[in-house]
């Protein structure tokens, strides 16, 4: 039986632990027949290399700081030589300085805000632009980014919330810009998961995690990134050829409920 991602060549950013969404996506993609390359940078590069050994098939890790054009260009050159094309990319990169989170919305400096926007928002477009030719060689391919619902205020999320709003708009514009080459561009908005990124927003994450089961009709397990990873794999596959510029919520349905009580158990 042909696997969902048989023969696909995928670039995955943002793997720091085996609990991360990016790791779940990479693991599931390999199980479905894909070839994977991961990226990391700085002190995190060795961490990513160690985590890569835990995948079903240990893979190469390339250095790529998304704020450094020369790093992006070097990875493009490597994958051009290695594969000649790229079928899919996961943008799982986000960061905001502490001053821009946890109540710092009104006090954060432009330097810190610009860092958050550069890494969390602009880099999504930068990857699309740089890898566009390799995606085109694969018949278009699929770029997927990680999102968190930006339609309302989340206490303590502050400038990261603004960055995610920009990411959502950037997704639509990038989908429009790359549609002519058949590249699909989408975001997956996950519910709260216990990842390195979640730890960066401090005590506010506990509030998110506590409220989610009271809202999500399907329930929510903050320790399980597998449902999000499966959705990413579906977007990388050939099964959704006309889906682009979209935000797909994988949050148990919480985004659709304004206020509620724990859903009744099925059955």
């Amino acid at each position: 039986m042909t696997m969902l991602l048989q023969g696909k060549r995928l670039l995955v950013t943002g793997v720091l632990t085996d609990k991360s969404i990016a790791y779940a996506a990479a693991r599931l993609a390999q199980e479905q027949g894909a070839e994977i390359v991961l990226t990391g940078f700085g002190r995190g590069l060795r961490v990513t290399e160690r985590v890569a050994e835990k995948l079903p098939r240990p893979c190469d890790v390339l250095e790529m700081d998304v704020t450094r054009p020369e790093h992006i260009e070097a990875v493009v050159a490597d994958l051009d030589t290695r594969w000649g094309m790229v079928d899919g990319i996961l943008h799982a990169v986000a960061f905001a300085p502490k001053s821009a989170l946890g109540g710092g919305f009104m006090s954060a400096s432009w330097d810190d805000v610009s860092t958050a926007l550069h890494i969390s928002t602009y880099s999504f477009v930068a990857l699309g632009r740089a890898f566009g030719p390799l995606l085109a060689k694969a018949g278009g391919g699929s770029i997927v980014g990680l999102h968190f619902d930006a339609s309302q205020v989340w206490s303590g999320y502050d400038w990261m919330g603004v960055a995610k709003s920009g990411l959502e708009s950037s997704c639509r514009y990038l989908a429009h810009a790359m549609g002519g080459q058949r590249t699909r561009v989408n975001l997956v908005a996950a519910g709260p998961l216990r990842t390195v990124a979640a730890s960066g927003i401090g005590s506010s994450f506990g509030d998110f995690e506590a409220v989610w089961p009271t809202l999500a009709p399907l329930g929510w397990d903050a320790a399980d990134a597998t449902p999000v990873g499966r959705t990413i794999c579906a977007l990388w596959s050939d099964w959704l050829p006309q889906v682009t510029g979209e935000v797909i919520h994988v949050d148990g349905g919480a985004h659709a409920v304004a206020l509620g009580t724990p859903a009744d158990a099925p059955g």
Side-chain angles (χ1 to χ4, degrees):
M1 184 176 71
T2 301
M3 292 182 282
L4 185 67
L5 296 173
Q6 187 68 49
K8 297 289 188 184
R9 292 137 297 196
L10 307 172
L11 179 68
V12 179
T13 69
V15 173
L16 284 175
T17 76
D18 58 3
K19 305 299 182 185
S20 69
I21 294 171
Y23 179 87
R27 173 180 59 80
L28 290 162
Q30 283 191 338
E31 291 172 358
Q32 289 298 315
E35 186 174 353
I36 301 288
V37 167
L38 306 182
T39 70
F41 76 98
R43 289 178 295 177
L45 182 61
R46 296 297 297 273
V47 175
T48 302
E49 289 172 342
R50 288 194 294 270
V51 177
E53 295 295 319
K54 298 181 180 182
L55 286 167
R57 296 190 303 279
C59 67
D60 288 344
V61 179
L62 304 178
E63 185 172 20
M64 187 173 71
D65 178 342
V66 295
T67 69
R68 296 180 61 178
E70 67 273 21
H71 278 204
I72 298 174
E73 291 164 8
V75 174
V76 170
D78 182 289
L79 297 187
D80 192 15
T81 300
R82 182 188 301 254
W83 292 332
M85 61 188 70
V86 173
D87 293 286
I89 296 171
L90 177 63
H91 179 278
V93 181
F95 173 77
K98 288 184 178 180
S99 68
L101 297 167
F105 181 75
M106 296 295 287
S107 58
S109 70
W110 168 243
D111 285 346
D112 286 345
V113 170
S114 65
T115 295
L117 296 177
H118 190 174
I119 297 171
S120 309
T121 308
Y122 178 77
S123 68
F124 185 65
V125 180
L127 292 190
R129 179 175 61 241
F131 288 94
L134 291 182
L135 289 159
K137 288 180 181 179
S142 172
I143 302 173
V144 182
L146 296 185
H147 190 38
F148 187 74
D149 182 51
S151 63
Q152 54 195 332
V153 170
W154 295 99
S155 178
Y157 208 45
D158 295 329
W159 282 101
M160 183 57 76
V162 176
K164 290 297 187 182
S165 292
L167 179 68
E168 187 172 320
S169 183
S170 295
C171 174
R172 291 189 288 267
Y173 276 92
L174 191 60
H176 177 263
M178 301 189 75
Q181 68 170 55
R182 305 300 301 169
T183 292
R184 294 169 286 125
V185 183
N186 295 285
L187 299 177
V188 174
L193 291 163
R194 295 176 198 144
T195 63
V196 172
S199 66
I201 61 174
S203 61
S204 295
F205 175 77
D207 297 335
F208 297 173
E209 186 179 4
V211 76
W212 229 260
T214 73
L215 296 177
L218 296 178
W220 184 250
D221 182 355
D224 185 10
T226 299
V228 185
R230 286 179 175 173
T231 303
I232 293 165
C233 288
L235 287 167
W236 278 333
S237 78
D238 296 329
W239 279 86
L240 300 171
Q242 291 294 110
V243 177
T244 196
E246 188 62 82
V247 177
I248 298 180
H249 290 80
V250 185
D251 64 354
H255 72 282
V257 181
L259 184 65
T261 55
D264 293 334

Short mmCIF file of all heavy atoms in Angstrom, two decimals, residues 153-177:
data_model
loop_
_atom_site.label_atom_id
_atom_site.label_comp_id
_atom_site.label_asym_id
_atom_site.label_seq_id
_atom_site.Cartn_x
_atom_site.Cartn_y
_atom_site.Cartn_z
N VAL A 153 -7.63 38.33 22.31
CA VAL A 153 -6.52 38.54 23.23
C VAL A 153 -6.38 37.36 24.17
O VAL A 153 -7.36 36.87 24.73
CB VAL A 153 -6.74 39.83 24.05
CG1 VAL A 153 -5.72 39.94 25.17
CG2 VAL A 153 -6.68 41.06 23.16
N TRP A 154 -5.13 36.90 24.35
CA TRP A 154 -4.80 35.89 25.35
C TRP A 154 -3.87 36.55 26.36
O TRP A 154 -2.79 37.03 25.99
CB TRP A 154 -4.13 34.68 24.71
CG TRP A 154 -5.03 33.93 23.78
CD1 TRP A 154 -5.07 34.02 22.43
CD2 TRP A 154 -6.03 33.00 24.16
NE1 TRP A 154 -6.05 33.20 21.92
CE2 TRP A 154 -6.65 32.56 22.97
CE3 TRP A 154 -6.47 32.47 25.38
CZ2 TRP A 154 -7.69 31.62 22.96
CZ3 TRP A 154 -7.49 31.55 25.37
CH2 TRP A 154 -8.09 31.13 24.18
N SER A 155 -4.28 36.61 27.59
CA SER A 155 -3.51 37.30 28.62
C SER A 155 -2.08 36.78 28.67
O SER A 155 -1.85 35.57 28.75
CB SER A 155 -4.19 37.10 29.98
OG SER A 155 -3.44 37.71 30.99
N GLY A 156 -1.12 37.69 28.63
CA GLY A 156 0.28 37.33 28.72
C GLY A 156 0.93 37.01 27.39
O GLY A 156 2.17 36.94 27.31
N TYR A 157 0.14 36.80 26.34
CA TYR A 157 0.70 36.46 25.03
C TYR A 157 1.25 37.70 24.33
O TYR A 157 2.18 37.62 23.54
CB TYR A 157 -0.38 35.78 24.18
CG TYR A 157 0.14 34.82 23.14
CD1 TYR A 157 1.14 33.90 23.45
CD2 TYR A 157 -0.39 34.81 21.87
CE1 TYR A 157 1.60 33.00 22.49
CE2 TYR A 157 0.06 33.92 20.91
CZ TYR A 157 1.05 33.02 21.23
OH TYR A 157 1.50 32.14 20.28
N ASP A 158 0.62 38.82 24.57
CA ASP A 158 1.13 40.15 24.21
C ASP A 158 1.67 40.24 22.78
O ASP A 158 0.95 39.96 21.85
CB ASP A 158 2.15 40.60 25.26
CG ASP A 158 1.50 40.79 26.63
OD1 ASP A 158 0.32 41.15 26.67
OD2 ASP A 158 2.16 40.55 27.65
N TRP A 159 2.95 40.60 22.61
CA TRP A 159 3.47 40.85 21.26
C TRP A 159 3.58 39.59 20.43
O TRP A 159 3.59 39.66 19.20
CB TRP A 159 4.80 41.59 21.32
CG TRP A 159 4.60 43.05 21.60
CD1 TRP A 159 4.76 43.69 22.79
CD2 TRP A 159 4.14 44.02 20.67
NE1 TRP A 159 4.42 45.02 22.66
CE2 TRP A 159 4.05 45.25 21.37
CE3 TRP A 159 3.80 44.00 19.32
CZ2 TRP A 159 3.63 46.44 20.76
CZ3 TRP A 159 3.38 45.18 18.71
CH2 TRP A 159 3.31 46.37 19.43
N MET A 160 3.62 38.43 21.07
CA MET A 160 3.57 37.20 20.28
C MET A 160 2.21 37.06 19.62
O MET A 160 2.08 36.57 18.50
CB MET A 160 3.88 35.97 21.13
CG MET A 160 3.92 34.67 20.35
SD MET A 160 5.11 34.67 18.98
CE MET A 160 6.63 34.50 19.89
N GLY A 161 1.15 37.50 20.31
CA GLY A 161 -0.17 37.49 19.71
C GLY A 161 -0.23 38.39 18.48
O GLY A 161 -0.83 38.04 17.46
N VAL A 162 0.41 39.56 18.57
CA VAL A 162 0.47 40.46 17.41
C VAL A 162 1.26 39.81 16.29
O VAL A 162 0.88 39.87 15.11
CB VAL A 162 1.10 41.80 17.82
CG1 VAL A 162 1.25 42.72 16.60
CG2 VAL A 162 0.26 42.49 18.90
N ALA A 163 2.38 39.16 16.65
CA ALA A 163 3.19 38.48 15.63
C ALA A 163 2.40 37.38 14.94
O ALA A 163 2.50 37.19 13.73
CB ALA A 163 4.46 37.91 16.27
N LYS A 164 1.58 36.66 15.71
CA LYS A 164 0.77 35.59 15.11
C LYS A 164 -0.33 36.17 14.21
O LYS A 164 -0.69 35.56 13.20
CB LYS A 164 0.16 34.72 16.20
CG LYS A 164 1.16 33.85 16.94
CD LYS A 164 1.84 32.84 16.04
CE LYS A 164 2.71 31.87 16.84
NZ LYS A 164 3.41 30.91 15.96
N SER A 165 -0.86 37.33 14.58
CA SER A 165 -1.83 37.99 13.69
C SER A 165 -1.16 38.34 12.36
O SER A 165 -1.73 38.15 11.28
CB SER A 165 -2.36 39.26 14.35
OG SER A 165 -3.17 38.97 15.46
N GLY A 166 0.08 38.84 12.45
CA GLY A 166 0.83 39.14 11.23
C GLY A 166 1.14 37.89 10.44
O GLY A 166 1.12 37.90 9.20
N LEU A 167 1.42 36.79 11.13
CA LEU A 167 1.68 35.53 10.45
C LEU A 167 0.46 35.07 9.66
O LEU A 167 0.57 34.60 8.52
CB LEU A 167 2.07 34.47 11.48
CG LEU A 167 2.36 33.07 10.95
CD1 LEU A 167 3.63 33.05 10.11
CD2 LEU A 167 2.47 32.07 12.10
N GLU A 168 -0.71 35.23 10.26
CA GLU A 168 -1.94 34.82 9.59
C GLU A 168 -2.16 35.62 8.31
O GLU A 168 -2.49 35.07 7.26
CB GLU A 168 -3.12 34.99 10.54
CG GLU A 168 -4.42 34.46 10.02
CD GLU A 168 -5.52 34.47 11.06
OE1 GLU A 168 -5.24 34.16 12.24
OE2 GLU A 168 -6.67 34.80 10.69
N SER A 169 -1.95 36.93 8.38
CA SER A 169 -2.08 37.76 7.19
C SER A 169 -1.00 37.41 6.17
O SER A 169 -1.27 37.33 4.96
CB SER A 169 -2.00 39.24 7.58
OG SER A 169 -2.19 40.06 6.45
N SER A 170 0.22 37.18 6.65
CA SER A 170 1.31 36.81 5.75
C SER A 170 1.01 35.51 5.01
O SER A 170 1.37 35.36 3.84
CB SER A 170 2.62 36.67 6.53
OG SER A 170 3.03 37.90 7.08
N CYS A 171 0.36 34.59 5.68
CA CYS A 171 -0.01 33.33 5.04
C CYS A 171 -0.91 33.57 3.84
O CYS A 171 -0.70 32.99 2.77
CB CYS A 171 -0.71 32.43 6.06
SG CYS A 171 -1.40 30.91 5.37
N ARG A 172 -1.88 34.45 4.01
CA ARG A 172 -2.79 34.73 2.88
C ARG A 172 -2.04 35.39 1.72
O ARG A 172 -2.23 35.03 0.55
CB ARG A 172 -3.94 35.60 3.36
CG ARG A 172 -4.90 34.89 4.31
CD ARG A 172 -6.13 35.72 4.59
NE ARG A 172 -5.84 36.85 5.44
CZ ARG A 172 -5.96 36.85 6.78
NH1 ARG A 172 -6.33 35.75 7.41
NH2 ARG A 172 -5.71 37.94 7.48
N TYR A 173 -1.21 36.37 2.04
CA TYR A 173 -0.47 37.07 0.99
C TYR A 173 0.53 36.14 0.30
O TYR A 173 0.71 36.20 -0.93
CB TYR A 173 0.24 38.31 1.55
CG TYR A 173 -0.66 39.51 1.63
CD1 TYR A 173 -1.39 39.79 2.78
CD2 TYR A 173 -0.81 40.37 0.54
CE1 TYR A 173 -2.23 40.89 2.85
CE2 TYR A 173 -1.65 41.47 0.60
CZ TYR A 173 -2.36 41.73 1.76
OH TYR A 173 -3.20 42.82 1.81
N LEU A 174 1.18 35.28 1.09
CA LEU A 174 2.14 34.35 0.49
C LEU A 174 1.43 33.32 -0.37
O LEU A 174 1.92 32.93 -1.43
CB LEU A 174 2.95 33.67 1.60
CG LEU A 174 4.17 32.86 1.16
CD1 LEU A 174 5.17 33.73 0.41
CD2 LEU A 174 4.83 32.19 2.36
N ALA A 175 0.26 32.87 0.08
CA ALA A 175 -0.53 31.94 -0.72
C ALA A 175 -0.89 32.56 -2.07
O ALA A 175 -0.83 31.90 -3.12
CB ALA A 175 -1.79 31.53 0.03
N HIS A 176 -1.23 33.83 -2.03
CA HIS A 176 -1.56 34.53 -3.28
C HIS A 176 -0.33 34.67 -4.17
O HIS A 176 -0.38 34.41 -5.38
CB HIS A 176 -2.12 35.92 -2.94
CG HIS A 176 -2.43 36.75 -4.15
ND1 HIS A 176 -1.55 37.69 -4.62
CD2 HIS A 176 -3.51 36.77 -4.97
CE1 HIS A 176 -2.08 38.28 -5.69
NE2 HIS A 176 -3.27 37.73 -5.92
N ALA A 177 0.79 35.03 -3.56
CA ALA A 177 2.01 35.26 -4.34
C ALA A 177 2.55 33.98 -4.96
O ALA A 177 3.13 34.02 -6.05
CB ALA A 177 3.08 35.90 -3.44
#
